[in-house]
Amino acid sequence: MSVTAENITKEYIRESKGTNRFAAVRETTVTIESGKLTVLKGRSGSGKSTFLNMAAGLSRPTSGRIVYDDRDIYSLSDRELSRLRNEYTGVIPQGQSAIFSLSVMENVLLPFTLYRQDGGEQKARELLEKLGIAHLENAMPRELSGGELRRVSIARALVKKPALILADEPTADLDDENTELVFDLLKTAAHEGAAVLTVTHENGAEDYADALWRMDSGTLEVIK
Amino acid sequence: MKRSKNIAVRNIAGKPLRSAVLVILAALLSLTVCAGTLIVRSLRSGLDSLEARLGADVMVVPKEASQKQSFENIVLQGSTGYFYMDKSLMDKVTGRDGVGKSSPQFFLASASAGCCSIPVQIIGFDPDTDFTITPWIKRSYGGELGLFDVVIGNDLNAFVGDSIKFYGVDCRVAAKLDKTGTNFDTAVFTNADTIKQLIRASLDLGMNSFESLDPDNSVSCVLINSDGTRSPEEIVNDINVHVKKVRAFRTGDMISGISSSLSGVSDVIGVMIAAVWLLGLVILLLAFTMSVNERKKEFAVLRAAGASRGKLASVVMQEAVITGLAGSIAGALLGIAAIVPFSKAIENALGLPFLTPDIASAAVPAVMSVLLSAAVCALAAAVSAVRISRIDTALILRGDN
Ligand SMILES: Nc1ncnc2c1ncn2[C@@H]1O[C@H](COP(=O)(O)OP(=O)(O)O)[C@@H](O)[C@H]1O
Ligand SMILES: [Mg+2]
């Protein structure tokens, strides 16, 4: 699936600043390519998460379009767009993102259960195994450390083998060994055909990147 | 046990304390309505049944009875008593204009009988003219009452076929009456011949304060229906003006006192229900708001994983309806359990006739209160459901950075 941002801008209203409107992302046209791991770097507050959320269908651009193949996703109804996100998109949000009443396994299988679909257990076990938390399958989120919770949300984003993977600082609270593991996973997913975009501050990330972007005050620059 | 895959169910199970609070609140709401409605209904049917038992427009009693051991006390307070007037007075009374059906009754208070730790009221009626007690007895007993046959009120501790002694005279229990919720439930009924024998026995034993009474020439009260040409009011006035040594009154006046206490009790219950509901609604609103607010991030995650806005709202509503229904059903059952078995105690405490409906009729207010309180839970949750369906997912997901 090709995912293209066509001239997207996201403006926010800010009471405190002199200018009321300011652009978190401005006039950006770029394609997240299938089969590639794209790394997005940039200072904190430069608009990376804003871009990623727009690409995920979670935040409507002020202007411009996000196009999956030929579909302008923000022209869809909320129901259709949600279904699309469930089917084609794996989002790894910033911070922890567990549902606390569900076990680790159930958290990972959430994209299936949300639409009453069966299956996914095998892929889920495989991912938990790779992420080194297979033994926590039946644990509840409150028993997990921050790094373990992080890996649960990574497994959840990948479990449906989505065509588009959007990761927002997925390794923020992981040690080097696990960081490497996660980048390996993302890389594998990309080479299996997914379009993968990850925001990161990790220094070694460039080594994994098939494409490298940099965000600066809302302006995106393609470096590689 | 297989765990439910439903997220709402899991959220309820995952937060037992929060869920318990919601369930208890819902239970409280339906308990107040169910119990309150049952009390008001029971009072109303108690009043209806008293009205039916009195069954006559006008009552005439000897003048002295209106002071000491009055008819009202016997009927309304459940005290026992007896009083008599000369039969010739009855003929004077029934001869007045406007009097239609009329029938005498005869009263006697038993000394403690076999069935009863306390004295019971014995009421005799004339089977040839009676129009108030016979229809009631017919519902429990098809036959004619013979000499020394008695029919007993529902609260008395004796059974059909038992024999009870009054003033040394053995009587046979021919039937037990339906419950009325009034003091008639502790009374004993006989025909005129039987009660005259019992009165005579009480006189012989020296246990009747009317020492020189001739039972054959006395009656205790006369029940009168209007023939339609005069209103009960006019009949009462006419008798009170023209017949000495008796007092006539409208049964409606007796009941109107009860009616007004009843509406007083209803009002108090209404205010209590309103207060509990207002408070309950506020607490429910707060509870749902808090419960949803602290899980904003979880809802945003659901959304990121593909839940539509409608799905988020439906999770909140399902949580509310499940806890609300569970609590409401528990509350309604509790309401029935708190009222039905204790109807006698409530009757005594309120001093009003109190006839609890049977289980089938109690089911109506119970189901109604369950629906009402579950609906209020849903309404309180709807506010939060709408709010959560409008969340800015992107804002929340970048929140802790
Ligand atoms: N919902 C919002 N309302 C107002 N300002 C916002 C909102 N979301 C993001 N911003 C602002 O937009 C800018 C970019 O934010 P973000 O995309 O989260 O940056 P990054 O992920 O690169 O750290 C920041 O200055 C942030 O304060
Ligand atoms: Mg960010």
Side-chain angles (χ1 to χ4, degrees), chain B residues 227-377:
Chain B
D227 67 0
T229 60
R230 281 183 155 190
S231 72
E233 189 74 61
E234 288 169 321
I235 296 173
V236 164
N237 289 339
D238 179 65
I239 292 172
N240 283 338
V241 170
H242 293 103
V243 186
K244 292 209 173 65
K245 294 203 255 180
V246 301
R247 184 179 71 101
F249 58 89
R250 288 190 329 151
T251 51
D253 289 341
M254 228 170 92
I255 288 171
S256 74
I258 298 177
S259 285
S260 66
S261 327
L262 187 152
S263 62
V265 173
S266 302
D267 288 350
V268 169
I269 289 173
V271 169
M272 268 163 53
I273 291 178
V276 170
W277 275 60
L278 204 68
L279 201 71
L281 186 66
V282 170
I283 299 175
L284 275 172
L285 275 169
L286 279 175
F288 282 117
T289 307
M290 278 162 55
S291 129
V292 164
N293 265 353
E294 71 178 20
R295 287 183 292 159
K296 260 192 181 153
K297 178 85 188 235
E298 294 196 11
F299 284 105
V301 168
L302 286 180
R303 197 143 164 71
S308 64
R309 294 184 179 280
K311 173 76 185 177
L312 300 193
S314 123
V315 169
V316 174
M317 291 310 289
Q318 282 180 53
E319 289 182 23
V321 168
I322 293 168
T323 49
L325 267 183
S328 304
I329 290 169
L333 291 178
L334 217 63
I336 292 178
I339 301 300
V340 176
F342 301 110
S343 61
K344 193 74 211 169
I346 297 169
E347 180 181 337
N348 291 338
L350 292 175
L352 292 170
F354 194 84
L355 183 59
T356 47
D358 53 37
I359 290 298
S361 326
V364 175
V367 168
M368 194 189 69
S369 53
V370 166
L371 293 181
L372 219 63
S373 116
V376 164
C377 290

Side-chain angles (χ1 to χ4, degrees), chain A residues 99-134:
Chain A
I99 306 295
F100 278 81
S101 58
L102 302 180
S103 72
V104 165
M105 185 51 130
E106 289 164 338
N107 261 283
V108 173
L109 290 174
L110 192 64
F112 287 94
T113 41
L114 262 183
Y115 286 88
R116 296 174 206 277
Q117 293 158 336
D118 288 325
E121 283 89 354
Q122 201 187 325
K123 177 74 178 168
R125 284 216 173 83
E126 190 186 303
L127 284 164
L128 290 175
E129 198 79 52
K130 277 192 187 155
L131 288 161
I133 48 172

Side-chain angles (χ1 to χ4, degrees), chain B residues 76-148:
Chain B
L76 302 183
Q77 316 307 331
S79 56
T80 57
Y82 51 93
F83 40 79
Y84 305 98
M85 58 188 174
D86 203 82
K87 206 174 167 188
S88 63
L89 284 172
M90 166 168 140
D91 298 333
K92 273 191 196 154
V93 164
T94 55
R96 305 299 307 175
D97 283 348
V99 172
K101 277 190 209 160
S102 68
S103 181
Q105 285 188 351
F106 309 85
F107 296 153
L108 181 64
S110 82
S112 305
C115 65
C116 321
S117 47
I118 44 159
V120 296
Q121 182 68 37
I122 306 171
I123 299 173
F125 59 92
D126 172 11
D128 298 333
T129 56
D130 175 68
F131 58 95
T132 60
I133 293 172
T134 308
W136 178 31
I137 291 177
K138 278 265 151 57
R139 278 193 257 149
S140 319
Y141 183 64
E144 290 267 301
L145 288 184
L147 192 62
F148 303 124

Side-chain angles (χ1 to χ4, degrees), chain B residues 5-35:
Chain B
K5 283 190 174 178
N6 182 298
I7 294 170
V9 173
R10 297 300 300 279
N11 284 343
I12 291 167
K15 283 276 189 183
L17 195 68
R18 178 182 70 204
S19 309
V21 169
L22 294 175
V23 167
I24 289 169
L25 274 172
L28 202 66
L29 293 186
S30 88
L31 171 69
T32 53
V33 180
C34 183

Side-chain angles (χ1 to χ4, degrees), chain A residues 43-50 94 168-169 199 201, chain B residues 398 401:
Chain A
R43 271 206 218 103
S44 179
S46 58
K48 306 181 297 296
S49 295
T50 303
Q94 267 182 273
D168 201 346
E169 301 181 27
V199 170
H201 294 300
Chain B
R398 62 175 289 282
N401 189 26

